[in-house]
Amino acid sequence: MATILMVASEGLPFIKTGGLADVIGSVPAALTEQGHEVSVVMPFYKKIKDKYGEKFNDVFTFEKGYTVSIYYREIPVRIYSSTVGNVKFYFVEHQGYFERDELYGFNDDGERFGYFQKAVLEMLNQLNYWPQIIHCHDWHTGMIPCMIKECHTDDYRYSQIKTVFTIHNIAFQGNFDARILDPCCGVPYYLYENGSVRFNTGISFMKSAFVYADKITTVSPTYSHEILTPQYGEHMEAVLNMRKYDLWGITNGIDVELWNPKTDPDIYENYDLVNVKEGKKANKLGLQKELGLKENPDVLLVGVVSRLTWQKGFYLMMEQLHALCKAPIQLAILGSGEAEIENKFRDLENGNKGKIAFYKGYNEALAHKIYAASDLFLMPSLFEPCGISQLCSMRYGTLPLVRETGGLKDTVDAYNEFEKTGDGFTFEKYDSVDLMKKINDAIDVYYNKPEDWDMLVKNAITKDVSWQKSASVYTTMYKELLD
């Protein structure tokens, strides 16, 4: 089995802005169960320090000092650590770069994550810790394979390390001005001139990873094929097609202990397969009361927990608001994002009190309650690398209604009324009429075919959405890489 260092910009239980954090919070533990030795390194953000700083059991100091060069000045680095289960987490501290209110979206993100990646590679030398594999996640870590192969060629210890890069969302690429290449990443400028890291008129951390990583993965098999096309490749499809034989699509899972209706402390009443019908009705009544919806245990409750962005398909919903308001359903929405979508959902709630509830922002406990209380969970995404929410909803016996794209296509089996199979509802075209037709199909099954609905709920709640199968595929890939 392998010694693996995962490098990421966020991860549970410490910090989360999206699905990447869920992966980092679960995959390392699943891999250790298969015999691997896994560690994780990420930035030491202000929010982590404020919440967990006093609990960290080590602060590494180095006799000779530990610095990396940024704009030709030596910048100090300090490493903290903490252990969660069998996984060691390292944290790279820099007050100026990482002790900010948000994680990303700053003008100096290239400089910040250039520093982070340099600090990680020098950390190996300082700790005399030499993993067999460095597994990098998303653009924030994309220069590491290049740094190893171009900047450490004279050091046998680095040259023996194999690298893996995982694409969580190809739409976010880490594209920056080429002038940061040498001063912030330590990478020679000729790699821009020869095209190795060049993207348009600048550089791309993500493209660099596509060129230099030994293996490339993404978070579902369908998405791994989609990103080879102009429709989904975000102008990276040409370089990805050059590496398509090294590209693996490995579907995400979820932490089935965290997302467990039998033990979840956040929901109104716990339940399992045996009493799922009664449990969901009790949770529905609790959520209706909390959100100001009309209390009715028999109405079809549709849930949404999401970032409210164009990617997630909410403009399709807005084209069908009149039909949604007339439908015999209730709608509970949790999320934040684009102002236009937020404002439309707020207006929708104001005009349909008791039928539609909108909670702006993110509330972890409320998310659990929506998964447990809803009958149907809506994800009409334009594209979805994998998706976590549809897996969580199935875990709670809530049927996902999704568009057939990326990981949604791979993880949701469409209802077949003739064969009596499936665990959710799917539609193919990115079209609001098709979306509304499928919602009406679900409404029909819920009210008029209760035996079929119960069958779908049973299939959903018993579906294996854990990380074990995916961890086995990662193990196969690691073995191939080391062999």
Side-chain angles (χ1 to χ4, degrees), residues 93-110:
E93 183 190 52
H94 186 287
Q95 293 180 347
Y97 287 144
F98 302 127
E99 293 190 25
R100 305 181 185 183
D101 290 335
E102 302 298 332
L103 274 59
Y104 325 119
F106 300 99
N107 291 333
D108 61 344
D109 276 355

Side-chain angles (χ1 to χ4, degrees), residues 62-266:
F62 305 98
E63 292 182 4
K64 298 180 180 179
Y66 173 11
T67 63
V68 296
S69 175
I70 299 294
Y71 285 111
Y72 314 111
R73 295 182 294 114
E74 293 303 314
I75 308 297
V77 181
R78 186 155 59 168
I79 304 294
Y80 289 74
S81 80
S82 183
T83 301
V84 179
N86 294 322
V87 180
K88 185 98 170 220
F89 283 78
Y90 296 100
F91 301 87
V92 175
E93 183 190 52
H94 186 287
Q95 293 180 347
Y97 287 144
F98 302 127
E99 293 190 25
R100 305 181 185 183
D101 290 335
E102 302 298 332
L103 274 59
Y104 325 119
F106 300 99
N107 291 333
D108 61 344
D109 276 355
E111 178 181 338
R112 297 170 69 225
F113 286 96
Y115 168 87
F116 172 64
Q117 293 170 93
K118 276 186 166 183
V120 167
L121 289 181
E122 179 57 25
M123 181 188 80
L124 307 183
N125 180 45
Q126 295 291 334
L127 298 181
N128 196 29
Y129 163 59
W130 301 102
Q132 294 170 286
I133 297 168
I134 294 182
H135 191 149
C136 304
H137 292 265
D138 259 356
W139 69 261
H140 321 83
T141 65
M143 290 302 297
I144 285 178
C146 174
M147 291 174 173
I148 289 175
K149 292 183 176 179
E150 295 286 359
C151 306
H152 293 278
T153 55
D154 58 346
D155 192 325
Y156 177 82
R157 300 170 302 174
Y158 286 98
S159 64
Q160 294 303 296
I161 298 173
K162 301 295 185 180
T163 58
V164 177
F165 180 79
T166 294
I167 309 161
H168 292 268
N169 190 337
I170 201 170
F172 301 97
Q173 301 170 342
N175 301 330
F176 303 106
D177 193 298
R179 287 175 292 185
I180 74 165
L181 193 58
D182 178 57
C184 297
C185 302
V187 172
Y189 190 74
Y190 72 81
L191 296 178
Y192 167 80
E193 295 175 325
N194 70 17
S196 296
V197 301
R198 184 172 66 237
F199 187 65
N200 295 329
T201 59
I203 63 169
S204 172
F205 284 16
M206 184 170 277
K207 181 195 171 180
S208 171
F210 295 164
V211 172
Y212 284 96
D214 296 302
K215 293 288 184 184
I216 304 165
T217 79
T218 192
V219 290
S220 70
T222 294
Y223 192 61
S224 73
H225 299 301
E226 288 177 340
I227 58 178
L228 298 177
T229 69
Q231 183 179 0
Y232 294 98
E234 298 289 342
H235 308 291
M236 292 283 186
E237 63 272 11
V239 67
L240 278 172
N241 272 282
M242 294 171 58
R243 300 296 312 278
K244 65 182 178 181
Y245 297 110
D246 292 313
L247 176 61
W248 292 56
I250 305 175
T251 307
N252 282 345
I254 59 172
D255 184 337
V256 293
E257 296 304 318
L258 175 65
W259 299 102
N260 185 353
K262 188 174 182 178
T263 58
D264 191 336
D266 290 323

Side-chain angles (χ1 to χ4, degrees), residues 401-412:
L401 192 158
V402 306
R403 195 175 87 80
E404 296 173 10
T405 183
L408 301 180
K409 183 176 181 179
D410 293 330
T411 57
V412 179

Side-chain angles (χ1 to χ4, degrees), residues 375-430:
D375 302 295
L376 195 68
F377 192 87
L378 200 55
M379 293 184 72
S381 301
L382 173 62
F383 65 93
E384 196 68 59
C386 181
I388 295 292
S389 294
Q390 81 279 13
L391 306 178
C392 297
S393 71
M394 286 190 283
R395 181 75 169 141
Y396 287 76
T398 299
L399 305 183
L401 192 158
V402 306
R403 195 175 87 80
E404 296 173 10
T405 183
L408 301 180
K409 183 176 181 179
D410 293 330
T411 57
V412 179
D413 296 319
Y415 166 60
N416 185 313
E417 63 177 312
F418 304 107
E419 298 179 4
K420 304 301 180 185
T421 57
D423 47 39
F425 299 88
T426 71
F427 66 104
E428 183 178 2
K429 289 175 60 180
Y430 189 73

